[in-house]
Amino acid sequence: MNRFTLPRDLYHGKGALEALKTFDGKKAMILVGGGSMKKFGFLERAENYLKEAGMEVEVYEGIEADPSVETVMKGAEAMQKFQPDWIIAMGGGSPIDAAKAMWIKYEYPNTTFEDMCKVFGLPKLRKKARFCAISSTSGTATEVTAFSIITDYNKGIKYPIADFEITPDVAIVDPDLAETMPKKLVAHTGMDAMTHAIEAYVSTAHTDYTDPLAMFAIKMIQEDLVDSYNDDMTKRDSMHNAQCLAGMAFSNALLGIVHSMAHKTGAAFADLGAHIIHGAANAMYLPKVIAFNAKNEEAIKRYGVIADYMGLGGSGDKEKVKLLINYLRDMNDKLNIPHCIKNYGVDGLPAKEGFVPENIFLERYKEIAKNAILDACTGSNPRKVNQEEMEELLKCCYYDTEVDF
């Protein structure tokens, strides 16, 4: 038996933020990140809409990019004091992911972070509060997913929390918020969405319900992402929908080892002064993983279907896979995303010498490979991967060498 779960309500289109006026409750806590929602006036609008609905409102600000376990625990404490019956998470993937984890701790104060990370092992939520997610970026789609990514900085590892219980009750997908994204964020979140859609389509857990969502998202991203990056706001609005469709697909079909590696490399070199931004990591690793997975008979057929739907040409599946890989690499060039860790600059842009020196990478890649294999996304990858193969894949992702195994 399979399950297909989405938010009960999804409000979309320009001005969708106004849906907050219709919410029924007594207290709402709004959780936001670094300040863009306040800067562009969306936070004030959300507060006013909720007050118009008759609610007392408290704002929790300052959730960092790549939120930590400590941030989750502090936010849950604030929820315990205020006792909201609506949790409103607003912004990019980070504040929404953090708020999902805070929600668990708020409802079950004795739960530990280790308990949260038991895949599809959470108790029933909604005993105290319902959850609304309002996305401002076009990539993570966490507003419609059963996932949250939290970083344990002591271990240098990003952990996915995975359970249908944390699928939001309400998603608001208002493109007005996405129009404020800086170009680099457009690029990285857009390739995150493309990776979601492609991995969902080839996942071992894909179904007739997820395939159409994944495939249509791929086509929309192909048509809209580069123009969105180049400030076409009509395409920017369309990308906000495309990433949400990709999220609906992967939340139910799961993902693969592109995400496993992205999760486990993201904070692995934080002591050197930067993270490998999640969307950029996906963009770099996706062509390598496609080449690896294409050794699987079922996967190569499905990659061929993707290439056909994108209109890439090719007379056989092997040729179609090569064309798909070349197309994605060309997209990375157009979006100013590096092709490998060696050339990944501290600012996330291409650099002749990246911020991760070769000797440091070689010291750590085996442990990273071990952690990636244990990641929740690895189990639904179409080709099984062992420690040696994961190590080789990571080296290909560092040096930008061909995957021939």
Side-chain angles (χ1 to χ4, degrees):
M1 181 175 69
N2 297 311
R3 179 174 174 177
F4 186 85
T5 301
L6 296 175
R8 185 181 187 279
D9 293 301
L10 192 155
Y11 297 94
H12 58 96
K14 284 183 170 293
L17 188 64
E18 194 171 350
L20 292 171
K21 291 196 300 187
T22 68
F23 283 23
D24 181 28
K26 295 180 179 179
K27 290 185 175 184
M29 176 175 278
I30 305 175
L31 299 103
V32 293
S36 64
M37 292 299 93
K38 178 183 282 189
K39 175 183 177 183
F40 293 107
F42 295 115
L43 175 58
E44 183 180 7
R45 283 170 56 190
E47 285 185 82
N48 290 338
Y49 288 145
L50 290 165
K51 288 175 182 176
E52 192 174 335
M55 283 191 249
E56 182 184 348
V57 181
E58 183 170 296
V59 176
Y60 187 92
E61 299 182 68
I63 297 171
E64 76 276 31
D66 303 303
S68 67
V69 177
E70 289 75 18
T71 293
V72 168
M73 299 307 167
K74 288 178 184 176
E77 286 179 14
M79 289 180 185
Q80 290 291 352
K81 290 178 183 176
F82 184 62
Q83 292 289 306
D85 49 17
W86 272 105
I87 296 167
I88 314 291
M90 189 175 189
S94 294
I96 297 175
D97 280 4
K100 285 179 176 179
M102 293 170 188
W103 183 25
I104 301 167
K105 184 72 173 176
Y106 170 50
E107 299 241 351
Y108 293 93
N110 293 327
T111 198
T112 65
F113 182 65
E114 290 72 22
D115 293 332
M116 296 182 194
C117 293
K118 294 173 183 175
V119 179
F120 294 98
L122 292 178
K124 293 287 184 183
L125 298 179
R126 297 163 181 83
K127 307 288 186 183
K128 294 182 178 180
R130 286 176 286 172
F131 192 100
C132 171
I134 307 168
S135 55
S136 67
T137 61
S138 301
T140 68
T142 188
E143 73 275 5
V144 293
T145 74
F147 295 91
S148 165
I149 307 299
I150 304 298
T151 302
D152 184 332
Y153 285 91
N154 292 325
K155 296 179 180 178
I157 296 175
K158 294 185 178 184
Y159 288 96
I161 300 171
D163 198 290
F164 288 119
E165 283 299 313
I166 59 171
T167 304
D169 297 284
V170 178
I172 296 178
V173 185
D174 188 333
D176 286 341
L177 281 68
E179 290 182 7
T180 66
M181 285 191 295
K183 290 187 73 164
K184 186 170 73 173
L185 190 58
V186 171
H188 291 169
T189 57
M191 287 307 293
D192 191 16
M194 179 65 97
T195 306
H196 290 157
I198 292 176
E199 287 209 291
Y201 190 75
V202 301
S203 162
T204 58
H206 76 87
T207 69
D208 291 345
Y209 292 84
T210 60
D211 283 351
L213 292 165
M215 194 63 82
F216 197 71
I218 290 167
K219 188 66 174 176
M220 288 181 73
I221 296 165
Q222 179 190 17
E223 293 176 349
D224 298 336
L225 176 54
V226 173
D227 288 338
S228 171
Y229 176 75
N230 290 319
D231 297 324
D232 181 328
M233 289 302 159
T234 300
K235 298 290 191 178
R236 182 79 55 86
D237 294 353
S238 181
M239 270 300 301
H240 209 43
N241 290 333
Q243 64 86 30
C244 189
L245 295 174
M248 293 178 189
F250 92 77
S251 186
N252 292 279
L254 308 181
L255 293 164
I257 59 173
V258 178
H259 273 77
S260 301
M261 292 193 294
H263 292 154
K264 278 16 183 193
T265 54
F269 307 101
D271 58 313
L272 302 178
H275 282 215
I276 300 177
I277 298 168
H278 180 71
N282 284 335
M284 294 189 295
Y285 307 161
L286 180 59
K288 305 303 182 190
V289 170
I290 290 173
F292 175 79
N293 284 342
K295 302 292 192 297
N296 175 276
E297 184 177 350
E298 176 67 15
I300 194 172
K301 290 179 183 177
R302 295 186 73 80
Y303 288 132
V305 173
I306 291 172
D308 286 342
Y309 195 65
M310 294 175 71
L312 303 183
S315 58
D317 286 333
K318 286 186 178 180
E319 185 180 357
K320 291 174 184 178
V321 166
K322 287 183 180 179
L323 291 169
L324 177 59
I325 288 171
N326 290 340
Y327 187 91
L328 294 169
R329 288 176 63 88
D330 183 60
M331 280 190 81
N332 287 347
D333 287 334
K334 290 176 179 176
L335 298 169
N336 207 20
I337 295 175
H339 289 297
C340 61
I341 300 171
K342 186 178 180 181
N343 299 127
Y344 183 93
V346 69
D347 55 2
L349 300 176
K352 187 174 180 181
E353 293 294 332
F355 86 95
V356 181
E358 182 179 25
N359 65 310
I360 300 295
F361 172 79
L362 292 175
E363 285 176 6
R364 301 183 186 181
Y365 82 101
K366 291 187 177 182
E367 184 66 19
I368 294 169
K370 178 182 174 183
N371 291 328
I373 288 173
L374 295 173
D375 189 88
C377 295
T378 300
S380 47
N381 194 68
R383 181 182 171 189
K384 299 304 177 188
V385 59
N386 60 34
Q387 175 73 21
E388 183 180 356
E389 290 165 339
M390 185 64 82
E391 290 175 9
E392 288 302 310
L393 260 179
L394 283 165
K395 286 199 286 188
C396 290
C397 291
Y398 183 84
Y399 296 107
D400 192 23
T401 48
E402 186 175 350
V403 176
D404 58 1
F405 53 92

